[in-house]
Amino acid sequence: MQSFAAVDVIIAKRDGRELSDAQIDWVIDAYTRGIVAEEQMAALAMAVLLNGMTRGEIARWTAAMIASGERMDFAGLGKPTTDKHSTGGVGDKITLPLAPLVASFGVAVPQLSGRGLGHTGGTLDKLESIPGWRASVSTAEMLDQLRGAGAVICAAGAGLAPADRKLYALRDVTGTVECIPLIASSIMSKKIAEGTGALVLDVKVGSGAFMKTVETARELARTMVDLGTDAGVRTVALLTDMSTPLGLTAGNALEVRESLEVLAGGGPPDVVELTLALAREMLAGAGLADVDPVPALADGRAMDSWRRMIVAQGGDPDAPLPTSREQQVVPVPADGVLVGLDALKVGVAAWRLGAGRARKEDTVQAAAGIELHAKPGAVVRAGEPLMTLHTDTPAAFEAALADLDGAWVIAPEGTRPADRPLIIDRIA
Ligand code: URA
């Protein structure tokens, strides 16, 4: 491989020039091996954030990150594979009902997931509230589970896109996370290396998401769909609303409970709508475009698939979920119509109650979080419960309540809340 001086690569991007394939291959490889220093990569990431990358540069950057580690291969499974990735939001528990629902149709769902950082929850943290369940699964166990249970939700092994692992941690502390080329290449390098045949991206838009506007979300979605398609993965994206929390719960065990309601044929309408929309896309990507996922929630097939998936990873699907030591009810302040409930404020308050972590090393409280008793559009009465805060550390209530200041808007009765569809757009 041709080598370069790291400073020349930084200067090229600082001055707005396009990096060559050889420069990109070298800088990612050398950074992974510790030859490019952290401060040099930080400067390069900031230059990319400020000056952007062309479609060709993003594709090469992604390929170089994939090449930094191993690639998984599910070709021997004998069934199609399909996966979903969400860019993260508040109350986004969709993977929990979705993976077993799709697996109940004989499709393999290898779902490598992460832990939460900041106000967005992590799928692994949620599942770890189930007694006995473990996130770490070897590649051989993963293949076995995909053959049997059909779905596996687990932590990505350290060998998958190690360049991204290092770079993401660096971006987190250098103000370089919010950069479409870097987000797109980070997500897609892991998804392409994972070896799925089809991929559905749930790109969140709104206060509780990375992308605050439809325009930036659309650009991120387009970039990721192009990367996936160019790499031979059938990829589509849905842009979905994250201005208000998804469902009625934010917090680990609370979200597992709500997911079980969906798997039992009930659950909040928005969680059901998004689960079904993403299931249809995943099934279509796996060649089952004509299949209707609705009956599998009603007749228990998806729940059976969930139980197999949980048991295969050591979990007890019948064990009671943890409950919080302390609760505090927040009452509705005035009669009217709830027209707004801010996702970011609810997410930050849930995090403050113990549902999330501030640093990677922190632990989370399984039972902490927020349960909503009303969603935008509901008629509410003063004094009724608006939400219940859950925590094991009651000293956190005061700060959580401060975070919730201004989180809701109650308008006079008869007001119609702004129409905001849950599914805003589809990008293929
Ligand atoms: N998730 C990732 O995996 N990478 C990013 O850059 C942002 C979100």
Side-chain angles (χ1 to χ4, degrees):
M1 185 183 294
Q2 193 182 347
S3 68
F4 298 85
V7 70
D8 291 340
V9 181
I10 297 166
I11 288 169
K13 191 39 75 183
R14 183 198 68 188
D15 293 346
R17 290 199 296 272
E18 186 169 350
L19 301 181
S20 69
D21 288 353
Q23 282 176 316
I24 292 172
D25 291 350
W26 175 79
V27 83
I28 296 290
D29 177 68
Y31 175 60
T32 310
R33 292 189 295 117
I35 293 164
V36 168
E38 294 288 346
E39 59 271 24
Q40 291 176 310
M41 199 56 169
L44 181 57
M46 186 58 83
V48 169
L49 181 139
L50 295 173
N51 291 328
M53 285 204 282
T54 63
R55 180 170 172 174
E57 284 176 294
I58 300 171
R60 192 71 183 203
W61 188 277
T62 307
M65 295 218 289
I66 295 168
S68 73
E70 65 202 29
R71 279 186 88 143
M72 301 184 77
D73 182 5
F74 299 121
L77 274 182
K79 47 181 170 178
T81 48
T82 187
D83 189 8
K84 186 261 323 189
H85 178 85
S86 158
T87 57
V90 178
D92 184 3
K93 71 278 294 170
I94 300 293
T95 296
L96 275 54
L98 179 64
L101 170 62
V102 173
S104 73
F105 291 92
V107 174
V109 185
Q111 178 86 56
L112 300 183
S113 297
R115 289 177 201 286
L117 191 63
H119 73 276
T120 60
T123 299
L124 301 181
D125 294 325
K126 294 172 198 186
L127 285 166
E128 278 174 347
S129 63
I130 300 171
W133 188 88
R134 64 187 158 78
S136 139
V137 168
S138 71
T139 305
E141 285 170 328
M142 191 173 175
L143 287 168
D144 258 7
Q145 193 169 326
L146 288 172
R147 279 193 197 94
V152 55
I153 302 174
C154 62
L160 208 76
D164 176 64
R165 190 172 285 257
K166 236 183 129 179
L167 182 55
Y168 194 24
L170 178 69
R171 287 168 54 215
D172 204 28
V173 293
T174 55
T176 50
V177 169
E178 295 83 357
C179 166
I180 287 177
L182 294 179
I183 297 174
S185 55
S186 166
I187 292 172
M188 293 306 292
S189 63
K190 287 172 285 201
K191 289 294 160 185
I192 297 167
E194 175 197 291
T196 184
L199 176 65
V200 180
L201 299 161
D202 181 1
V203 179
K204 301 285 186 201
V205 191
S207 75
F210 264 134
M211 297 294 138
K212 309 291 182 201
T213 67
V214 173
E215 291 67 37
T216 52
R218 195 171 277 128
E219 188 186 339
L220 176 63
R222 178 84 269 150
T223 309
M224 293 198 290
V225 168
D226 289 346
L227 282 171
T229 306
D230 290 351
V233 180
R234 288 179 299 284
T235 311
V236 298
L238 297 184
L239 301 195
T240 71
D241 184 45
M242 189 28 73
S243 58
T244 203
L246 204 46
L248 292 168
T249 57
N252 302 307
L254 291 170
E255 293 191 45
V256 173
R257 196 193 69 200
E258 190 167 274
S259 303
L260 287 167
E261 289 168 14
V262 174
L263 287 162
D270 56 345
V271 179
V272 175
E273 180 186 346
L274 189 51
T275 302
L276 289 171
L278 291 166
R280 287 191 186 98
E281 295 288 354
M282 288 173 76
L283 290 165
L288 299 175
D290 297 331
V291 162
D292 178 11
V294 173
L297 288 180
D299 66 17
R301 270 178 290 157
M303 182 68 95
D304 290 346
S305 171
W306 159 269
R307 293 175 66 85
R308 283 196 294 275
M309 176 181 87
I310 297 302
V311 168
Q313 285 169 252
D316 178 355
D318 298 314
L321 291 165
T323 50
S324 60
R325 279 203 280 275
E326 303 277 342
Q327 291 104 40
Q328 183 164 328
V329 173
V330 178
V332 173
D335 289 354
V337 180
L338 183 66
V339 290
L341 186 56
D342 184 71
L344 180 61
K345 286 181 188 287
V346 172
V348 170
W351 164 77
R352 190 85 67 184
L353 291 165
R357 49 173 74 73
R359 293 172 311 149
K360 280 206 288 294
E361 314 67 64
D362 295 348
T363 53
V364 297
Q365 290 178 27
I370 296 182
E371 203 181 352
L372 305 173
H373 303 295
K375 293 269 287 191
V379 174
V380 290
R381 295 267 162 255
E384 287 176 351
L386 177 61
M387 57 181 77
T388 304
L389 314 186
H390 294 255
T391 188
D392 294 337
T393 44
F397 282 134
E398 196 183 329
L401 287 168
D403 291 326
L404 286 168
D405 188 32
W408 50 84
V409 180
I410 295 174
E413 230 167 289
T415 311
R416 262 180 61 90
D419 234 356
R420 213 180 149 99
L422 176 60
I423 298 166
I424 298 164
D425 203 356
R426 177 182 189 274
I427 301 199

